[in-house]
Amino acid sequence: PHPSRSNPAQRLQMPRRGKSAVTRTLTHMAMPDPGRKTIEEAVELERSLRGTQVGMGAACAGHVPTVDMNDECVSQKLWEAAASVGFFTVINHGISAQLIDEAFGASRDFFVLPKEQKHRQSPFAPKSNAGYEFMSQVRPSTGTPDQKESLQVTARASAMDARWPTEPANFERTARSLLIEAHAFAARLLSLLERRACPQVAEGTLTGAHTLWSEGGQCTLRLLHYPPTEAHDPTVNADASRMWRAGPHTDWDCLTLLFQRLGEGGLECASNPNAPGGIEGGWVAVEPVEGGIAVNIGDMLSRWSDGRLYSNLHRVRLPTPAECSPSPRSRYSIAFFMQADKPVLIESEKHEPITAGDYILHRIASNF
């Protein structure tokens, strides 16, 4: 018989023969079938990691799948990665490398400004979920603020009014250009996954549900800066409150594109031994790849697909002593969240219908 799903601690105490301790823990934390996971269950999953071996476990050897978008079997390889691990790296994606470099340059130029100036240039608007934030996002998995600052560009009509930074001067132009290219590529990924993921919807439903700069648009570009911080050595300091630049969580959207810089690691995803074909082990590093973009499935698409696609837990750990040599340094990343427009109704066989707008509002509320 399975342990009680209402008591994560009870599940942690039940070993299984033939698997590593971390794998056993992940298996018994395993969380309800993702196809049946409600918003509340998703939040409870994150809360259940607080202070546990699952939330604090070190990453193991291994890597997430890499999918070449020029491969003649790209649809099948995308499906295998999205339906098992839910995290993968794409190469030959077609997004301009020069544009990506310009976006990282604009990000660095903005974040180097004094904090008060950043707040003035792009004041955060909770109703629009847009603007600058400093260490304000609290994950249910940790109960403490993520050690990062961010600038959220929400591609909805009027959302960025009086919130576009004036420094650097190329910020708005560069962000708008990257939004266009990231949105087009994310739409391509959705179109390749749609038939098998959501057989109940008409062709083109997923791509048509996501627009830029419309009245109900929710797609978002998020520029992230994790300031230099002391290295974490678990043999010296196991204080869980200092463990994460970003605590373990799943994303709320349909899918996320994450742009990373070589030499600025720290992103890790859960191995998901429950998922068919998932990597065995605890946590797996999602290393930056030259010319690659990390992609993960979000809760919204997992719900829409009745769990055929897997929304995976991930986190950003603190730097290691080696990564802080000769001195601590920043980590920069840029995330594009492909989120369906507010009025879109997410309908599936196993869940009650909900609009994409209500879905995102519920998830935002759960993180504060």
Side-chain angles (χ1 to χ4, degrees):
H2 292 287
S4 167
R5 293 190 182 277
S6 62
N7 188 342
Q10 179 182 349
R11 297 199 294 275
L12 287 170
Q13 295 168 0
M14 298 185 65
R16 177 175 294 181
R17 187 181 303 275
K19 291 191 177 183
S20 70
V22 175
T23 302
R24 288 197 305 267
T25 303
L26 280 166
T27 300
H28 287 293
M29 289 282 309
M31 313 141 320
D33 177 352
R36 299 183 182 276
K37 185 170 61 177
T38 65
I39 295 173
E40 292 75 18
E41 286 171 332
V43 176
E44 180 55 33
L45 163 59
E46 293 181 21
R47 287 199 187 100
S48 70
L49 300 181
R50 194 179 300 183
T52 68
Q53 182 182 1
V54 177
M56 298 170 60
C60 62
H63 56 83
V64 298
T66 297
V67 178
D68 186 341
M69 296 304 295
N70 290 338
D71 193 307
E72 61 181 11
C73 299
V74 63
S75 293
Q76 178 60 29
K77 292 186 176 180
L78 275 176
W79 177 261
E80 291 171 355
S84 56
V85 181
F87 234 103
F88 48 96
T89 298
V90 293
I91 57 174
N92 292 318
H93 44 75
I95 297 180
S96 164
Q98 180 179 347
L99 176 58
I100 295 170
D101 288 341
E102 289 176 358
F104 273 106
S107 174
R108 286 190 297 272
D109 289 345
F110 174 77
F111 286 122
V112 76
L113 298 172
K115 184 168 63 174
E116 296 75 14
Q117 191 171 340
K118 288 177 283 193
H119 278 298
R120 284 197 304 270
Q121 288 200 28
S122 190
F124 187 75
K127 288 185 178 180
S128 300
N129 195 30
Y132 172 73
E133 293 183 285
F134 181 82
M135 297 190 185
S136 60
Q137 187 168 22
V138 178
R139 303 289 183 186
S141 61
T142 62
T144 58
D146 285 352
Q147 300 300 294
K148 68 176 188 287
E149 57 181 340
S150 65
L151 179 57
Q152 188 113 322
V153 178
T154 298
R156 180 166 60 253
S158 303
M160 292 302 295
D161 288 357
R163 263 174 280 283
W164 283 111
T166 55
E167 297 179 65
N170 68 334
F171 187 96
E172 180 177 355
R173 174 185 58 80
T174 303
R176 285 183 178 273
S177 296
L178 186 56
L179 269 164
I180 291 170
E181 292 207 21
H183 177 268
F185 179 64
R188 181 186 174 194
L189 293 177
L190 289 179
S191 68
L192 290 169
L193 294 168
E194 181 182 66
R195 182 178 61 84
R196 293 176 70 177
C198 304
Q200 77 278 11
V201 306
E203 183 178 355
T205 295
L206 296 186
T207 55
H210 302 77
T211 62
L212 296 179
W213 306 113
S214 66
E215 291 293 334
Q218 296 193 113
C219 291
T220 300
L221 190 71
R222 194 177 197 194
L223 293 86
L224 295 149
H225 173 224
Y226 303 87
T229 186
E230 295 179 7
H232 175 68
D233 184 346
T235 64
V236 176
N237 186 351
D239 180 5
S241 69
R242 298 183 62 256
M243 285 290 286
W244 312 116
R245 280 176 155 173
H249 63 282
T250 56
D251 287 346
W252 316 330
D253 57 354
C254 277
L255 57 81
T256 303
L257 309 182
L258 187 74
F259 302 88
Q260 304 186 88
R261 300 275 82 180
L262 293 177
E264 297 179 13
L267 176 65
E268 299 171 346
C269 72
S271 62
N272 289 308
N274 284 0
I279 300 172
E280 291 288 328
W283 295 85
V284 177
V286 185
E287 297 290 355
V289 172
E290 181 72 42
I293 303 172
V295 181
N296 63 280
I297 303 302
D299 294 340
M300 186 181 288
L301 185 54
S302 183
R303 181 188 182 105
W304 219 334
S305 68
D306 278 326
R308 297 180 183 92
L309 299 184
Y310 203 85
S311 178
N312 196 344
L313 285 161
H314 51 286
R315 65 193 188 181
V316 180
R317 58 164 173 77
L318 289 180
T320 65
E323 291 169 337
C324 288
S325 178
S327 61
R329 56 185 181 269
S330 293
R331 168 183 161 87
Y332 291 90
S333 63
I334 300 174
F336 172 74
F337 299 104
M338 190 70 154
Q339 299 179 153
D341 294 355
K342 285 185 175 185
V344 170
L345 196 63
I346 301 171
E347 296 182 283
S348 66
E349 295 179 358
K350 298 180 180 180
H351 300 283
E352 291 294 320
I354 186 172
T355 66
D358 284 343
Y359 188 86
I360 295 298
L361 283 176
H362 288 313
R363 291 311 311 269
I364 291 173
S366 73
N367 273 258
F368 296 94

